[in-house]
Amino acid sequence: MWAPAEDVAKLTYFGLYALQHRGQESAGIAVSDGHRIVVHKEMGLVAQAFDEPALTALRGHIAVGHCRYSTTGASVWANAQPTFRSTPAASLALGHNGNLINTRELAKLLDGQPGVAGIAATSDTDVLTALFVSQLPGVAEGVENTAAAVLPRARGAYSLVFMDEHALYAARDPHGFRPLVLGRLERGWVVASETAALDIVGAAFVREIAPGELVRIDENGVSSRTIASAPVTGCLFEHVYLARPDTTLSGRGVHATRVEVGRRLAKEHPVEADLVIPVPESGTPAAIGFAEASGIPFGQGLVKNSYVGRTFIQPSQTIRQRGIKLKLNPLREAIAGRRIVAVDDSIVRGNTQRALVAMLREAGAVEVHVRVASPPVMSPCFYGIDFASRDELIAGSLDTEEIRASIGADSLGYVSLDGLIEATTLPADRLCRACFDGHYPVPVAAGDRGKFVLEVS
Ligand code: SF4
């Protein structure tokens, strides 16, 4: 955020609240007053990482905020973001959404660089930040030119916001895997992962940061240049699960896409039943669409505890054994004696759906039909979603009938890949769907797969 007349720390904090679903392991904000950058970051949710004194201490007119979901590097404080690096030439704070697939190669470029060796962090983001500052020539335009030189060496997914003492920058990888949008405040500018965050801070949507674009924002306004180009392959899974339903991706409302997926699911996998229930929250729009297209009444059958997140406090063994009940509880009066269609956004390992089907049967459902608003997840993601290895993905080794038997449902139906893509209204060749069909737009070497490439090398 660049906004001279605003309390940028507080506005960024509210923006992070809006983006909490994208990362729940750690949170941080860096602020510059034009002379120096101050960073505050902690493990945990946004509300756990900040209190009033911490926010009040962050004074200035430029801010970068981040909430982390770890994909490269352990979930530890040293890997929390914004990352921060300082040299006599300049200081840099950076937040990264996505995942690089050549982190080891980039780390090797740092060998022998003064002032950056012996770093505690093990994330792709910290390597990128260290590479930046190691190349800074020490002039005001240095960060922009350095970014234009360094970023084309990074491969994989990166939507970045970063700042030196004087300006805010944003950049997006040429494939545009992860979203990044520009918004306008009355007196200032905001860059965020999702349009929903612009809404929450009172910024008007201006446009998406284009794939391969580098943007600089300062007192002269917004300037832009293209630093790399490649076929655009935005993440299809953002439309299914990751993005908020009140966000707009490539001009299409996510909620509308998910409702349409539900309609297609009803046509592709019809069933006779008494009630359509969503697996809250992300299954809700597709369940609405399924009910609408099938004529089966929609109702709530599961109550979600919204306060259960992926925090650093792990549930005890006893609680873990109760599994899904920590998050979901059935409404017995809605379920008992009925044939239920349960609509979920995706099946990854299958453990949640197995527990869910058992829970609905315990609550008195006479039949449980599971419908899934995405195709089977068969391959891991290397571009910013830490699904699981192929061995852990239930669709990596079982077909649909075997999965149905494994989760104990009376029937199981996934929306087709074509149906999902059509629901987004985007051209198929502009979407990554590697986790569904195994065709990776950017190939990943075997040694670069896995979350702990720097811990083990
Ligand atoms: S592999 Fe799947 S989750 Fe990863 S970027 Fe591609 S579509 Fe998205």
Side-chain angles (χ1 to χ4, degrees):
M1 173 175 301
W2 189 90
E6 303 284 356
D7 183 342
V8 288
K10 277 222 172 101
L11 276 185
T12 303
Y13 173 77
F14 294 137
L16 291 184
Y17 244 102
L19 297 173
Q20 183 73 86
H21 62 289
R22 298 190 74 91
Q24 301 171 10
E25 297 170 18
S26 57
I29 296 174
V31 169
S32 172
D33 60 4
H35 302 286
R36 69 180 186 130
I37 295 174
V38 176
V39 186
H40 177 98
K41 57 186 182 181
E42 292 291 347
M43 298 301 289
L45 301 170
V46 176
Q48 293 167 317
F50 293 94
D51 56 17
E52 194 73 38
L55 286 171
T56 306
L58 294 170
R59 294 176 185 280
H61 63 283
I62 314 173
V64 164
H66 190 267
C67 38
R68 183 170 188 242
Y69 160 65
S70 56
T71 50
T72 294
S75 184
V76 294
W77 185 88
N79 285 336
Q81 298 183 33
T83 49
F84 177 72
R85 293 276 164 167
S86 188
T87 70
S91 301
L92 194 81
L94 183 148
H96 172 203
N97 177 21
N99 190 58
L100 303 184
I101 59 162
N102 64 334
T103 303
R104 290 186 314 157
E105 179 191 321
L106 295 177
K108 280 191 192 126
L109 297 174
L110 287 168
D111 285 351
Q113 298 279 359
V116 294
I119 54 177
T122 51
S123 71
D124 50 344
T125 312
D126 195 69
V127 168
L128 190 64
T129 313
L131 201 54
F132 257 98
V133 296
S134 74
Q135 311 274 314
L136 280 174
V139 292
E141 303 76 39
V143 169
E144 185 177 343
N145 289 334
T146 303
V150 167
L151 286 178
R153 307 187 78 149
R155 286 193 292 118
Y158 58 83
S159 284
L160 304 175
V161 284
F162 50 103
M163 61 195 258
D164 59 11
E165 292 91 340
H166 315 289
L168 174 70
Y169 304 85
R172 197 169 170 209
D173 69 73
H175 301 277
F177 281 108
R178 301 282 150 228
L180 197 63
V181 292
L182 175 68
R184 185 86 165 101
L185 290 164
E186 201 172 323
R187 289 182 58 201
W189 299 91
V190 185
V191 177
S193 284
E194 294 189 31
T195 60
L198 301 183
D199 298 339
I200 270 83
V201 302
F205 172 76
V206 175
R207 64 177 177 85
E208 299 198 346
I209 305 292
E213 184 181 9
L214 169 65
V215 161
R216 175 187 163 109
I217 300 171
D218 59 18
E219 61 277 6
N220 298 315
V222 179
S223 59
S224 158
R225 60 161 120 166
T226 301
I227 55 167
S229 65
V232 173
T233 50
C235 171
L236 180 55
F237 206 67
E238 291 271 355
H239 300 259
V240 173
Y241 171 78
L242 198 56
R244 284 172 56 133
D246 52 344
T247 273
T248 299
L249 292 172
S250 304
R252 167 83 159 155
V254 171
H255 178 83
T257 295
R258 292 179 186 167
V259 171
E260 178 58 22
V261 172
R263 290 191 198 107
R264 288 168 185 266
L265 198 47
K267 286 181 189 135
E268 292 180 10
H269 299 284
V271 62
E272 286 194 10
D274 304 310
L275 187 69
V276 178
I277 66 167
V279 180
E281 302 293 337
S282 48
T284 302
I288 291 169
F290 192 101
E292 186 188 302
S294 66
I296 304 169
F298 170 92
Q300 296 294 341
L302 295 161
V303 174
K304 182 179 181 186
N305 183 339
S306 309
Y307 301 97
V308 180
R310 274 175 63 177
T311 72
F312 57 97
I313 303 166
Q314 294 296 320
S316 71
Q317 188 60 21
T318 321
I319 293 286
R320 208 175 294 124
Q321 278 160 0
R322 295 192 68 79
I324 191 174
K325 288 219 162 175
L326 192 61
K327 275 194 173 178
L328 295 173
N329 206 25
L331 280 170
R332 285 170 199 283
E333 62 274 26
I335 303 293
R338 293 206 166 98
R339 297 169 298 173
I340 301 294
V341 181
V343 182
D344 209 345
D345 56 74
S346 55
I347 297 183
V348 178
R349 290 177 176 83
N351 297 333
T352 306
Q353 289 72 24
R354 193 175 300 111
L356 180 77
V357 171
M359 178 194 287
L360 292 171
R361 290 202 195 284
E362 271 172 34
V366 290
E367 290 176 13
V368 180
H369 302 275
V370 175
R371 295 294 179 269
V372 190
S374 60
V377 178
M378 307 175 77
S379 303
C381 173
F382 304 109
Y383 314 128
I385 306 237
D386 186 24
F387 280 136
S389 67
R390 189 178 166 90
D391 294 347
E392 294 168 298
L393 295 169
I394 192 167
S397 56
L398 303 183
D399 65 21
T400 301
E401 171 51 24
E402 290 168 330
I403 296 169
R404 182 206 63 73
S406 171
I407 66 174
D410 291 286
S411 73
L412 171 64
Y414 292 89
V415 77
S416 64
L417 185 54
D418 286 348
L420 170 58
I421 291 171
E422 281 166 23
T424 68
T425 70
L426 297 175
D429 61 0
R430 287 178 70 88
L431 288 165
C432 171
R433 63 280 189 129
C435 49
F436 303 124
D437 68 6
H439 296 301
Y440 291 93
V442 184
V444 188
D448 290 320
R449 299 179 177 196
K451 185 171 172 179
F452 303 110
V453 288
L454 291 184
E455 275 98 338
V456 298
S457 63

